[in-house]
């Protein structure tokens, strides 16, 4: 039996995904395929390291040492051909926290921040909470049903003197698009030209599907690297989000100094002890498990494509190049997002993320988390058909 076929009961573990449907959706007994965490156990090697640390029984103050830095350095080099200096590494409980700290560090109230919608919604929600203005560089669909960047619009927004930050999602959430080196070079050159700092959320960069090629934007050249803060984490890759440990890679010494000063201002001195142990173990021992995961996820994608094409031909599936998320185009059903949600919850007993949550040009789309057993995938697809088969 494939380890990823195992169905594990996650209820009564205070799981946001499995225990709070009533609070979040107002209904009980729905199948949750919305929030981006996996239903798979972490690799045995990580679990063993955590057991060993727990068995030690003392959980005092800790600091990350050279072994952690070496694990991160070697992972990034071996997995993504990016040879980093360990001195560029700093830490944060999570990438959303890290982005918030960067907004605080490098902008002032009324400054402008560019995001590319539809996109992971904390990008614009957190920006607004800091009283910064969000400028939307709307992505558009090409003839191959893939998202493209409107570079003329992007440059117009980056050239605004009040624009200080550009938040990049690479690979892109919710669509799974992996931006090409050529696209990233154009983005980077524009940001250098207009002196706009790049915050690059690369949390899904390990989850590459169907031979996709990921390029860290900061790896392209020194100029772009000095204008970029890159965020990575083992949390999505190895299902460790609850352990709260992520990494910021900052090549520019002055940017790193200022970023760390803001971290200290808010008392963020270190990361969770168990999160630290899990991160080092993941980057040291996790490659074999990850390769097996990616093969399983590709099988899930193909299963979903075939089932929806057969049973729901009015819904289009955007094949992800990365992530364990699938972006479904349900616009042909002629329903509002509220109507789609109502049909899913009441008829299908299925919880998905509504597309409009990711920006106004996400309306009519749905995001489905496919990081679960094939059995759960089939259950979810049956529920999707039940919800929409009449349309």
């Amino acid at each position: 039996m494939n380890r990823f076929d195992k169905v594990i009961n996650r209820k009564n573990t205070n799981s946001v995904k499995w225990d709070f449907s009533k609070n979040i959706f107002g209904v009980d007994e729905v199948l949750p395929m919305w929030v981006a965490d996996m239903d798979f156990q972490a690799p045995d090697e990580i679990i063993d390291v955590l057991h060993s640390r727990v068995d030690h029984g003392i959980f005092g103050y800790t600091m990350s040492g050279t072994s952690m830095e070496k694990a991160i350095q070697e992972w990034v080099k071996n997995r993504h051909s990016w040879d980093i200096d360990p001195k560029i590494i700093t830490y944060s409980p999570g990438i959303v926290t890290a982005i918030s700290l960067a907004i605080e560090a490098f902008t002032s109230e009324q400054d402008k921040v560019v995001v590319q919608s539809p996109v992971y919604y904390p990008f614009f929600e957190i920006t607004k909470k800091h009283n910064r203005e969000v400028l939307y560089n709307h992505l558009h669909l090409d003839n191959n049903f893939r998202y493209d960047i409107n570079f003329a619009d992007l440059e117009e927004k980056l050239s605004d003197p009040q624009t200080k930050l550009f938040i990049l999602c690479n690979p892109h959430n919710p669509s799974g698009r992996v931006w090409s080196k050529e696209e990233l070079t154009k983005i980077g050159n524009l940001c250098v030209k207009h002196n706009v700092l790049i915050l690059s959320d690369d949390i899904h960069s390990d989850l590459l599907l169907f031979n996709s090629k990921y390029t860290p934007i900061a790896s392209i050249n020194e100029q772009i690297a000095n204008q970029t803060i890159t965020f990575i984490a083992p949390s999505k890759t190895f299902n460790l989000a609850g352990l709260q440990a992520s990494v910021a890679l900052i090549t520019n010494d002055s940017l790193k100094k200022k970023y760390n000063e803001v971290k200290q201002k808010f008392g963020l001195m270190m990361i969770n002890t168990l999160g630290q142990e899990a991160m080092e173990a993941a980057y040291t021992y996790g490659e074999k498990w990850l390769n097996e995961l990616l093969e399983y996820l590709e099988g899930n994608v193909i299963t979903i494509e075939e089932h929806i094409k057969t049973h729901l031909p009015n819904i289009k599936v955007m094949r992800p190049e990365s992530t364990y998320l699938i972006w479904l185009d349900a616009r042909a059903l002629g329903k509002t997002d509220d109507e789609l949600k109502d049909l899913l919850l009441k008829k299908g007993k299925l919880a998905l993320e509504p597309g409009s949550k990711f920006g106004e040009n996400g309306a009519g789309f749905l995001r489905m988390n496919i990081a679960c057993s094939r059995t759960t995938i089939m259950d979810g697809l049956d529920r999707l058909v039940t919800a929409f088969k009449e349309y």
Side-chain angles (χ1 to χ4, degrees):
M1 179 180 179
N2 191 306
R3 73 171 90 204
F4 301 108
D5 284 324
K6 184 179 179 182
V7 178
I8 300 168
N9 183 6
R10 296 183 60 189
K11 291 187 177 180
N12 301 313
T13 62
N14 289 321
S15 164
V16 170
K17 185 176 182 180
W18 285 92
D19 287 328
F20 293 93
S21 292
K22 182 71 173 179
N23 305 63
I24 297 168
F25 297 103
V27 292
D28 285 318
E29 300 306 321
V30 295
L31 181 66
M33 300 181 76
W34 60 286
V35 69
D37 77 357
M38 295 193 277
D39 289 334
F40 304 132
Q41 286 184 325
D44 292 339
E45 294 87 346
I46 297 175
I47 296 170
D48 290 344
V49 165
L50 291 174
H51 274 303
S52 179
R53 189 67 178 83
V54 168
D55 289 343
H56 181 262
I58 299 174
F59 309 103
Y61 296 121
T62 55
M63 292 183 67
S64 56
T66 55
S67 61
M68 168 86 97
E69 292 174 346
K70 183 180 179 182
I72 295 167
Q73 179 189 31
E74 291 187 351
W75 181 266
V76 171
K77 182 178 181 178
N78 295 335
R79 204 77 192 176
H80 303 306
S81 304
W82 186 19
D83 195 1
I84 64 170
D85 188 326
K87 73 176 185 179
I88 77 171
I89 297 170
T90 188
Y91 302 96
S92 170
I95 290 179
V96 173
T97 302
I99 290 173
S100 183
L101 291 170
I103 292 171
E104 177 72 20
F106 302 111
T107 66
S108 302
E109 290 199 11
Q110 311 310 319
D111 280 345
K112 298 175 182 180
V113 177
V114 178
V115 304
Q116 296 180 302
S117 63
V119 75
Y120 184 51
Y121 46 87
F123 287 4
F124 48 83
E125 289 181 348
I126 287 175
T127 299
K128 291 174 183 176
K129 289 182 186 298
H130 280 274
N131 292 320
R132 277 58 164 172
E133 183 180 344
V134 179
L135 300 180
Y136 294 94
N137 172 229
H138 294 301
L139 301 174
H140 60 86
L141 291 167
D142 67 14
N143 294 332
N144 296 315
F145 194 51
R146 294 168 80 245
Y147 279 114
D148 266 350
I149 297 169
N150 183 337
F151 280 100
D153 178 73
L154 178 61
E155 178 158 26
E156 180 182 335
K157 290 178 167 62
L158 293 175
S159 67
D160 187 317
Q162 290 301 112
T163 298
K164 305 299 181 185
L165 291 179
F166 169 70
I167 307 180
L168 173 67
C169 200
N170 181 37
H172 180 254
N173 175 8
S175 75
R177 175 82 152 78
V178 180
W179 303 113
S180 70
K181 185 175 181 179
E182 291 71 24
E183 289 168 318
L184 294 169
T185 301
K186 289 178 73 172
I187 290 171
N189 288 341
L190 287 174
C191 288
V192 169
K193 176 181 177 181
H194 297 290
N195 195 29
V196 174
L197 179 63
I198 302 165
L199 305 182
S200 189
D201 178 357
D202 294 22
I203 197 169
H204 293 282
S205 57
D206 295 322
L207 297 164
L208 300 174
L209 305 174
F210 304 109
N211 298 312
S212 297
K213 173 63 176 173
Y214 152 79
T215 302
I217 191 170
S219 73
I220 292 173
N221 61 50
E222 186 176 354
Q223 273 191 311
I224 295 173
N226 280 325
Q227 201 85 5
T228 301
I229 300 176
T230 304
F231 303 106
I232 63 171
S235 51
K236 300 299 182 191
T237 310
F238 299 101
N239 209 22
L240 305 174
L243 292 177
Q244 298 188 319
S246 70
V247 176
L249 303 172
I250 312 176
T251 301
N252 185 314
D253 288 338
S254 63
L255 292 180
K256 185 181 177 187
K257 181 175 183 292
K258 190 169 185 180
Y259 177 82
N260 283 335
E261 285 172 352
V262 172
K263 275 178 58 180
Q264 292 165 6
K265 174 182 174 182
F266 290 100
L268 293 171
M269 306 301 186
M270 60 193 71
I271 56 176
N272 180 289
T273 298
L274 296 182
Q276 178 175 307
E277 295 282 349
M279 179 188 288
E280 185 172 338
Y283 288 146
T284 304
Y285 307 115
E287 187 164 43
K288 180 177 183 294
W289 181 94
L290 175 57
N291 290 337
E292 293 174 6
L293 169 70
L294 297 179
E295 183 178 348
Y296 194 85
L297 290 176
E298 289 176 354
N300 279 355
V301 171
I302 293 167
T303 297
I304 289 166
E305 289 176 334
E306 292 174 350
H307 197 85
I308 289 180
K309 183 178 180 180
T310 301
H311 299 284
L312 291 170
N314 286 333
I315 292 180
K316 294 177 69 175
V317 180
M318 184 177 291
R319 172 173 282 200
E321 299 166 344
S322 178
T323 80
Y324 49 77
L325 306 166
I326 280 194
W327 193 232
L328 302 174
D329 183 356
R331 292 175 297 173
L333 302 183
K335 303 293 181 183
T336 66
D337 271 19
D338 285 342
E339 290 169 335
L340 293 173
K341 182 179 178 180
D342 197 55
L343 287 167
L344 284 167
L345 292 175
K346 293 181 179 177
K347 288 188 66 178
K349 304 295 183 184
L350 177 65
L352 304 181
E353 288 276 39
S356 56
K357 195 171 183 177
F358 300 88
E360 63 181 29
N361 59 332
F365 287 79
L366 299 160
R367 194 189 75 173
M368 173 184 278
N369 177 352
I370 65 165
C372 51
S373 70
R374 203 65 48 78
T375 300
T376 304
I377 289 290
M378 293 311 303
D379 185 11
L381 289 171
D382 288 342
R383 292 166 185 253
L384 190 72
V385 172
T386 298
F388 295 146
K389 62 185 175 182
E390 296 176 9
Y391 305 98

